[in-house]
Amino acid sequence: ETSDARSAGAATSLGRGLPLAEAGAPGELPAATATLWTGLARAQLEIGNAAGAAHSATRATARADAPWQAHHTLGAAQDRLGELRAATAAYRAALAKVGAHDAERATVLFNLGRCCRASGDLGDAVECLRDCLAASPEDGAAARELAVALEAAGDSEAAVATLRKYLVRSPADLETTRALGAILFSRGDLLAAREVFYGLAHRAPDDVDGLVRLGLVHARLGDAREAEIRWRRALALDPACVEARANLAGVRSPAAAGL
């Protein structure tokens, strides 16, 4: 039985049982039923029914002492629906309820920070993501998200420092290495970016995205031959790589002859 099938079964069972649970509880929703609504919302999210999950999680949060998981699940559903303001409010409610030493607090901070960044609230995004990374220093996704927020806030130097510090701890994290190279490239620090992508190519010679980016660095530095070598290698590994093919076409064009 697949995970989706189990989630669908759970959603069906909870959907049938909840009306019975509520029938014996007129007035305020019992805490136990709020937990059931949260379970239903989670199952609905897992099978891709974000609208249904938002409805169920809203029912779960109708009680003042609803667990933090109810608010977090509501935020996740609204986030998936693109309702960023509502999702941010739900994540904030979850953060206010989750214990200071709860192992899941970092997850709430991460989702709140990511949602704040997406909605343009960069100050709160940086604060939440810094707290998240402090609580979970081995979380590469948190390091990358914090770097993105810092760069968006105009502090690319702090973004680079964040990723370098994380990579000291986890040097084998290729995704974070790519993110560091990309930020260095975007701020015009081409020699440092080349060094990062050379290191990536050494550790992961079949990394297509890294090869494409290394080619871009060479092209920006004026070395068209080296750029073409990297993009040809990327295409050999992935013939469907549109970016490598387009870059090669640009190098061959008369307008790019001066590269």
Side-chain angles (χ1 to χ4, degrees):
E1 186 180 20
T2 66
S3 175
D4 284 350
R6 288 193 296 271
S7 297
T12 300
S13 298
L14 287 166
R16 289 173 179 168
L18 276 166
L20 298 176
E22 288 189 306
E28 191 178 53
L29 191 68
T33 307
T35 301
L36 289 175
W37 276 114
T38 303
L40 174 58
R42 286 178 166 177
Q44 289 169 319
L45 267 181
E46 287 181 11
I47 61 174
N49 183 6
H55 171 77
S56 299
T58 298
R59 297 296 299 270
T61 58
R63 184 180 172 94
D65 60 352
W68 69 263
Q69 292 91 338
H71 297 280
H72 190 260
T73 305
L74 176 58
Q78 292 167 327
D79 193 356
R80 195 170 297 182
L81 291 168
E83 300 170 1
L84 292 180
R85 287 187 179 278
T88 300
Y91 285 140
R92 288 191 191 281
L95 184 62
K97 291 193 170 192
V98 70
H101 303 292
D102 193 307
E104 296 298 320
R105 184 177 179 83
T107 300
V108 180
L109 283 165
F110 176 82
N111 286 324
L112 175 57
R114 180 181 48 74
C115 211
C116 285
R117 180 188 64 77
S119 60
D121 190 352
L122 299 177
D124 279 359
V126 168
E127 181 180 353
C128 288
L129 291 165
R130 275 183 171 150
D131 288 347
C132 173
L133 192 57
S136 185
E138 296 182 357
D139 188 346
R144 293 190 298 274
E145 191 68 32
L146 174 56
V148 170
L150 286 165
E151 186 180 29
D155 195 350
S156 62
E157 186 173 344
V160 168
T162 295
L163 296 181
R164 288 197 184 280
K165 181 179 178 180
Y166 169 79
L167 286 169
V168 170
R169 178 186 293 270
S170 303
D173 187 328
L174 301 183
E175 189 172 355
T176 301
T177 302
R178 281 194 295 269
L180 172 60
I183 290 178
L184 289 168
F185 179 81
S186 69
R187 72 194 295 244
D189 197 346
L190 300 179
L191 295 180
R194 184 178 63 181
E195 180 182 353
V196 169
F197 286 122
Y198 267 143
L200 180 62
H202 177 73
R203 281 181 286 138
D206 294 343
D207 184 78
V208 172
D209 186 58
L211 287 166
V212 170
R213 291 174 183 270
L214 179 54
L216 289 171
V217 174
H218 280 301
R220 185 71 68 84
L221 286 168
D223 194 341
R225 178 176 172 76
E226 284 294 325
E228 187 170 352
I229 289 172
R230 309 303 171 181
W231 294 330
R232 285 189 182 281
R233 171 65 177 160
L235 272 179
L237 291 167
D238 179 11
C241 182
V242 175
E243 189 174 2
R245 192 175 300 279
N247 290 338
L248 277 171
V251 168
R252 297 191 195 109
S253 70
L259 279 177

